[in-house]
Amino acid sequence: MTKIFQNNIGLVLMLLAYHFSFAQKKEENIGTEVVNVVKPYTPTISDAFKVKEIPSLEDTDNSKKEDIKYNFFSFPVASTFVPSKGRAANVDKSQAEKLYKNFANLGFGNYTTLNAELFVTENISDNEYVGGMFKHLSSQGGIKDVALNNDFYTTSLDLTYGNQFQNLTWISDLGYQNQIYNWYGIPENFTQTTIDRINPKHTFNNFYVGTNLSLSDSFFKEASFKYNRFWDANGSVENRFFVKPSFEFGLFNEKIKTNFIVDYLHGNFEKNFFETNSIKYGFANFGIHPSIVVNKNDWALNIGASVFYSANIENGSSKIFVYPQVNASLKLVGDFMIFYAGVEGSLDQNSYRDFSNENPFVSPTLAIDPTNRQFDLFTGLKGKLSNTISYNLRGSLQNEKNKPLLVANEFNMFATDTENYQFGNSFGVVYDDVKTMNLYGELKADYTKNVSIGLNASYSRFFTTYQEEAWNLPTLKLGANLNVNITKKWFAVANVFYVGERKDLVYIQSMITIFPPAYYPETANLKSYFDANFNLGYQHNDRLTGFLKFNNIANQSYQKWMNYPVQGLQVLLGASYKFDF
């Protein structure tokens, strides 16, 4: 008994010692105490017991676990929900406008003006069609303070045949045009006797035939051919052939396009301005223009060049010209800002017909030569300011050798039989080497489907080499147009343009020499002019539309060419009619 008690006392002392040792670990600063040890404890082996490595478990809950399987039982549940059928929302759609194949236009105005147009087309099979257009515009003159007749006529007839095969499109054209004008722009100091000698009427005639072929799924893409025969009432004749085939090949996933050009021109004038001899001219120009187009993400590059061989048939000389053809564009901000730049050049063949279209008062005594447009270096920005407003800003530097300039002819008093164009009332052509710096800006806005507006401006500086001025070339040009659908029936169109000052030559009679009179040239300024036009229309139905046109609303008697004032306020009332056969 005593032994058991002693053992219990020892076990209690050991537990107390173990408890105090942990307490010291949790709290290191426990202060100081004085312990008086009476007898140290000496443990024996019998005081401890060995813990088994694998203890025996007698808990009845530690039996083997059973696998539990779960089963789901589905029961159908009746539902009273019935979804409603979908129905498309109502969309307001306008009635499709009926398209007519033919139309006629007829108008009458002051100055005894007549304007008539007729266009007809008809399908002759599933793949073939024929068409024709007739146009006529005439006025009986009546320009204020003009002594000579100043009426004019322009009449043209065009016929077209088209055929669409599976991979081929073929279009042929045949046409004739007749134009009648008057050299009415004589100087102010002419006597009535001199005026009575002048018959200012002259005519131009043009006949042409042309064909255009377009192929798909072929390296031969298209080809165009055109022949023009142009002649006047003074014995002048001009023939021109123009052929342009185009080919396209694929190389390294890029397209290489090559254009071939054949331009043949031959003509003659019965005599030169001073009646010393006739004028004959002829040129055969052969060109090749290969180019490759590369498109990568936001930029595009068109690299090419053109080579021309030009033979002067009349004097037996020939030249070779090489021009760059490079264009590049980069999208800086998507379609809102696109930067573009390039340099181009070409050999431009001038002709009598081209000069008469630009100025119908030229004399049949012109010098005809090609223009060597050495380069046109340009750069600019274009894009959108919004989804409805687009813009284009462009700057360029152009260098042209042998550029044609139209200038007033002098009064030829030494002619044995003075022609009607030799009274200072016609225009000739001179050539010069000209450098041109140009700034151009354009803005277009479609505010709504009923209102659109356009603005443009062009400023140019000309640097001549031999001539004193760049004759009849304006420095500043401005333009604006407005289109408005007022209602479903009414619409209006307005356009305004401004042309700045130009310079030409005027011939002044010398007061020293009495007979024969002598004239000397003097530079004259042609005043700038402003012209506003307005067109008001009423659509009675889908076939019939009436219109009222006002031209030169400001009623200005400005001169587009030296001594050639234009008609004042012009009013034209008419209607157009659409129909089918």
CSV table of all heavy atoms in Angstrom, one decimal, residues 18 35 41 55 71 85 89 121 138 144 197 204 256 264 292 298 311 345 356 411 433 442 453 465 468 491 507 510 557:
chain,number,residue,atom,x,y,z
A,18,TYR,N,6.1,18.7,-15.8
A,18,TYR,CA,5.9,18.9,-17.3
A,18,TYR,C,5.0,20.1,-17.6
A,18,TYR,O,5.2,20.8,-18.5
A,18,TYR,CB,5.2,17.6,-17.7
A,18,TYR,CG,4.9,17.6,-19.2
A,18,TYR,CD1,5.9,17.3,-20.2
A,18,TYR,CD2,3.6,17.8,-19.7
A,18,TYR,CE1,5.6,17.3,-21.5
A,18,TYR,CE2,3.3,17.8,-21.0
A,18,TYR,CZ,4.3,17.5,-21.9
A,18,TYR,OH,4.0,17.5,-23.3
A,35,VAL,N,13.6,27.9,-5.1
A,35,VAL,CA,13.1,26.6,-4.9
A,35,VAL,C,14.1,25.8,-4.0
A,35,VAL,O,15.3,25.7,-4.3
A,35,VAL,CB,12.9,25.8,-6.2
A,35,VAL,CG1,12.4,24.4,-6.0
A,35,VAL,CG2,12.0,26.6,-7.1
A,41,TYR,N,14.5,13.9,-7.8
A,41,TYR,CA,13.7,12.7,-8.2
A,41,TYR,C,14.6,11.8,-9.2
A,41,TYR,O,15.2,12.3,-10.1
A,41,TYR,CB,12.5,13.2,-8.9
A,41,TYR,CG,11.7,12.1,-9.6
A,41,TYR,CD1,11.0,11.2,-8.8
A,41,TYR,CD2,11.7,12.0,-11.0
A,41,TYR,CE1,10.3,10.1,-9.4
A,41,TYR,CE2,11.0,10.9,-11.6
A,41,TYR,CZ,10.3,10.0,-10.8
A,41,TYR,OH,9.6,9.0,-11.4
A,55,PRO,N,-2.0,0.9,-32.2
A,55,PRO,CA,-3.0,0.7,-31.0
A,55,PRO,C,-4.2,-0.1,-31.4
A,55,PRO,O,-4.6,-0.1,-32.6
A,55,PRO,CB,-3.3,2.1,-30.6
A,55,PRO,CG,-3.2,2.9,-31.9
A,55,PRO,CD,-2.0,2.2,-32.6
A,71,ASN,N,-30.3,6.7,-56.0
A,71,ASN,CA,-31.1,6.6,-57.2
A,71,ASN,C,-32.1,7.7,-57.2
A,71,ASN,O,-32.6,8.2,-56.2
A,71,ASN,CB,-31.9,5.3,-57.2
A,71,ASN,CG,-31.0,4.0,-57.3
A,71,ASN,OD1,-30.1,4.1,-58.1
A,71,ASN,ND2,-31.4,3.0,-56.6
A,85,LYS,N,-47.0,32.6,-79.9
A,85,LYS,CA,-46.3,32.5,-81.2
A,85,LYS,C,-45.6,33.9,-81.5
A,85,LYS,O,-46.2,34.9,-81.2
A,85,LYS,CB,-47.2,32.2,-82.3
A,85,LYS,CG,-47.8,30.8,-82.2
A,85,LYS,CD,-48.8,30.5,-83.4
A,85,LYS,CE,-49.4,29.1,-83.3
A,85,LYS,NZ,-50.3,28.9,-84.4
A,89,ALA,N,-42.1,42.3,-86.2
A,89,ALA,CA,-42.5,43.7,-86.0
A,89,ALA,C,-42.8,44.3,-87.3
A,89,ALA,O,-42.2,44.0,-88.3
A,89,ALA,CB,-41.5,44.4,-85.2
A,121,THR,N,-33.7,52.5,-124.9
A,121,THR,CA,-33.0,51.2,-124.9
A,121,THR,C,-33.9,50.1,-124.9
A,121,THR,O,-35.1,50.2,-124.5
A,121,THR,CB,-32.1,51.1,-123.6
A,121,THR,OG1,-31.4,49.9,-123.6
A,121,THR,CG2,-33.0,51.2,-122.4
A,138,SER,N,-29.6,74.6,-128.2
A,138,SER,CA,-29.4,75.7,-129.1
A,138,SER,C,-29.9,77.0,-128.5
A,138,SER,O,-30.8,77.0,-127.6
A,138,SER,CB,-30.1,75.5,-130.5
A,138,SER,OG,-31.5,75.4,-130.3
A,144,LYS,N,-26.0,91.1,-124.9
A,144,LYS,CA,-26.1,92.5,-124.9
A,144,LYS,C,-24.8,93.1,-125.4
A,144,LYS,O,-23.7,92.7,-125.1
A,144,LYS,CB,-26.3,93.0,-123.5
A,144,LYS,CG,-26.5,94.5,-123.3
A,144,LYS,CD,-26.7,94.9,-121.9
A,144,LYS,CE,-26.9,96.4,-121.7
A,144,LYS,NZ,-27.1,96.8,-120.3
A,197,ARG,N,-17.8,93.1,-142.8
A,197,ARG,CA,-16.9,92.2,-143.6
A,197,ARG,C,-16.9,90.8,-143.0
A,197,ARG,O,-16.5,89.8,-143.6
A,197,ARG,CB,-15.5,92.7,-143.7
A,197,ARG,CG,-15.4,94.0,-144.6
A,197,ARG,CD,-14.0,94.5,-144.4
A,197,ARG,NE,-13.0,93.5,-144.7
A,197,ARG,CZ,-11.7,93.6,-144.4
A,197,ARG,NH1,-11.2,94.7,-143.8
A,197,ARG,NH2,-10.8,92.7,-144.7
A,204,PHE,N,-18.1,72.6,-136.4
A,204,PHE,CA,-17.3,71.4,-136.0
A,204,PHE,C,-18.2,70.2,-136.2
A,204,PHE,O,-19.4,70.2,-135.9
A,204,PHE,CB,-16.8,71.5,-134.6
A,204,PHE,CG,-15.9,72.6,-134.3
A,204,PHE,CD1,-16.3,73.5,-133.3
A,204,PHE,CD2,-14.8,72.9,-134.9
A,204,PHE,CE1,-15.5,74.6,-133.0
A,204,PHE,CE2,-14.0,73.9,-134.6
A,204,PHE,CZ,-14.3,74.8,-133.6
A,256,ILE,N,-0.1,41.7,-110.9
A,256,ILE,CA,0.7,42.5,-111.8
A,256,ILE,C,-0.2,42.9,-113.0
A,256,ILE,O,-0.6,42.0,-113.7
A,256,ILE,CB,2.0,41.8,-112.3
A,256,ILE,CG1,2.9,41.6,-111.1
A,256,ILE,CG2,2.7,42.7,-113.3
A,256,ILE,CD1,4.1,40.9,-111.4
A,264,TYR,N,-2.6,57.0,-132.2
A,264,TYR,CA,-2.2,57.5,-133.5
A,264,TYR,C,-3.0,58.7,-133.8
A,264,TYR,O,-4.3,58.7,-133.8
A,264,TYR,CB,-2.3,56.5,-134.6
A,264,TYR,CG,-2.1,57.0,-136.0
A,264,TYR,CD1,-0.8,57.0,-136.5
A,264,TYR,CD2,-3.1,57.4,-136.8
A,264,TYR,CE1,-0.5,57.5,-137.8
A,264,TYR,CE2,-2.9,57.8,-138.1
A,264,TYR,CZ,-1.6,57.9,-138.5
A,264,TYR,OH,-1.4,58.4,-139.8
A,292,ILE,N,2.3,46.8,-110.1
A,292,ILE,CA,2.0,45.8,-109.1
A,292,ILE,C,1.3,46.4,-107.9
A,292,ILE,O,1.8,47.5,-107.4
A,292,ILE,CB,3.2,45.0,-108.7
A,292,ILE,CG1,2.8,43.9,-107.7
A,292,ILE,CG2,4.3,45.9,-108.1
A,292,ILE,CD1,4.0,42.9,-107.4
A,298,ASP,N,-3.5,48.0,-93.2
A,298,ASP,CA,-4.0,49.4,-93.3
A,298,ASP,C,-3.3,50.2,-94.4
A,298,ASP,O,-3.5,51.3,-94.6
A,298,ASP,CB,-3.8,50.1,-92.0
A,298,ASP,CG,-4.8,49.6,-91.0
A,298,ASP,OD1,-5.8,49.0,-91.3
A,298,ASP,OD2,-4.5,49.7,-89.8
A,311,ALA,N,6.7,58.9,-132.1
A,311,ALA,CA,7.3,59.2,-133.4
A,311,ALA,C,6.5,60.4,-134.0
A,311,ALA,O,5.3,60.3,-134.2
A,311,ALA,CB,7.2,58.0,-134.3
A,345,GLY,N,3.4,60.4,-114.1
A,345,GLY,CA,3.8,61.2,-115.2
A,345,GLY,C,3.2,60.5,-116.5
A,345,GLY,O,2.7,59.4,-116.4
A,356,SER,N,-10.9,72.5,-129.3
A,356,SER,CA,-12.2,73.1,-129.6
A,356,SER,C,-13.2,72.8,-128.5
A,356,SER,O,-14.1,73.6,-128.3
A,356,SER,CB,-12.6,72.5,-131.0
A,356,SER,OG,-12.9,71.1,-130.9
A,411,PHE,N,-4.9,90.8,-134.9
A,411,PHE,CA,-5.7,91.2,-136.0
A,411,PHE,C,-4.7,91.2,-137.2
A,411,PHE,O,-3.8,92.0,-137.3
A,411,PHE,CB,-6.3,92.6,-135.8
A,411,PHE,CG,-7.1,93.1,-136.9
A,411,PHE,CD1,-7.7,92.3,-137.8
A,411,PHE,CD2,-7.4,94.5,-137.0
A,411,PHE,CE1,-8.5,92.8,-138.9
A,411,PHE,CE2,-8.2,95.0,-138.0
A,411,PHE,CZ,-8.7,94.1,-138.9
A,433,ASP,N,7.2,75.6,-121.1
A,433,ASP,CA,7.5,74.7,-119.9
A,433,ASP,C,7.0,75.3,-118.7
A,433,ASP,O,7.4,76.4,-118.3
A,433,ASP,CB,9.0,74.5,-119.9
A,433,ASP,CG,9.6,73.8,-121.1
A,433,ASP,OD1,8.8,73.2,-121.8
A,433,ASP,OD2,10.8,73.9,-121.4
A,442,GLU,N,-11.7,69.6,-100.6
A,442,GLU,CA,-13.1,69.2,-101.0
A,442,GLU,C,-13.8,68.7,-99.7
A,442,GLU,O,-13.2,68.0,-98.9
A,442,GLU,CB,-13.1,68.2,-102.1
A,442,GLU,CG,-14.4,67.8,-102.6
A,442,GLU,CD,-14.4,66.7,-103.6
A,442,GLU,OE1,-13.4,65.9,-103.6
A,442,GLU,OE2,-15.3,66.7,-104.5
A,453,ILE,N,-24.6,68.5,-99.5
A,453,ILE,CA,-23.9,69.7,-99.9
A,453,ILE,C,-22.5,69.3,-100.2
A,453,ILE,O,-21.9,68.4,-99.7
A,453,ILE,CB,-24.0,70.7,-98.7
A,453,ILE,CG1,-23.4,72.1,-99.2
A,453,ILE,CG2,-23.2,70.2,-97.5
A,453,ILE,CD1,-23.6,73.2,-98.2
A,465,THR,N,8.3,79.5,-118.4
A,465,THR,CA,9.8,79.6,-118.8
A,465,THR,C,10.0,80.7,-119.8
A,465,THR,O,10.9,81.5,-119.7
A,465,THR,CB,10.3,78.3,-119.2
A,465,THR,OG1,10.1,77.3,-118.2
A,465,THR,CG2,11.8,78.3,-119.6
A,468,GLU,N,5.3,85.3,-120.9
A,468,GLU,CA,5.2,86.2,-119.7
A,468,GLU,C,4.2,85.8,-118.7
A,468,GLU,O,4.4,86.0,-117.5
A,468,GLU,CB,4.8,87.6,-120.3
A,468,GLU,CG,5.8,88.3,-121.2
A,468,GLU,CD,5.3,89.6,-121.6
A,468,GLU,OE1,4.2,90.1,-121.1
A,468,GLU,OE2,5.9,90.2,-122.5
A,491,PHE,N,-38.2,69.2,-105.3
A,491,PHE,CA,-36.8,69.1,-105.0
A,491,PHE,C,-36.1,70.4,-105.6
A,491,PHE,O,-36.6,71.0,-106.5
A,491,PHE,CB,-36.2,67.8,-105.6
A,491,PHE,CG,-36.3,67.7,-107.1
A,491,PHE,CD1,-35.3,68.2,-108.0
A,491,PHE,CD2,-37.4,67.2,-107.7
A,491,PHE,CE1,-35.4,68.2,-109.3
A,491,PHE,CE2,-37.5,67.1,-109.1
A,491,PHE,CZ,-36.5,67.6,-109.9
A,507,TYR,N,-4.7,93.4,-128.4
A,507,TYR,CA,-3.9,94.1,-129.4
A,507,TYR,C,-4.4,95.5,-129.6
A,507,TYR,O,-5.6,95.7,-130.0
A,507,TYR,CB,-3.9,93.3,-130.7
A,507,TYR,CG,-3.1,92.0,-130.6
A,507,TYR,CD1,-3.8,90.8,-130.2
A,507,TYR,CD2,-1.8,92.0,-130.9
A,507,TYR,CE1,-3.0,89.7,-130.0
A,507,TYR,CE2,-1.1,90.8,-130.8
A,507,TYR,CZ,-1.7,89.6,-130.3
A,507,TYR,OH,-1.0,88.5,-130.2
A,510,SER,N,-1.8,101.1,-133.0
A,510,SER,CA,-0.8,102.2,-132.8
A,510,SER,C,-1.4,103.5,-133.4
A,510,SER,O,-1.9,103.5,-134.5
A,510,SER,CB,0.5,101.8,-133.5
A,510,SER,OG,1.4,102.9,-133.4
A,557,SER,N,-22.6,89.9,-117.1
A,557,SER,CA,-22.1,89.8,-118.5
A,557,SER,C,-20.5,89.6,-118.4
A,557,SER,O,-19.8,90.4,-119.0
A,557,SER,CB,-22.4,91.0,-119.3
A,557,SER,OG,-22.0,90.8,-120.7
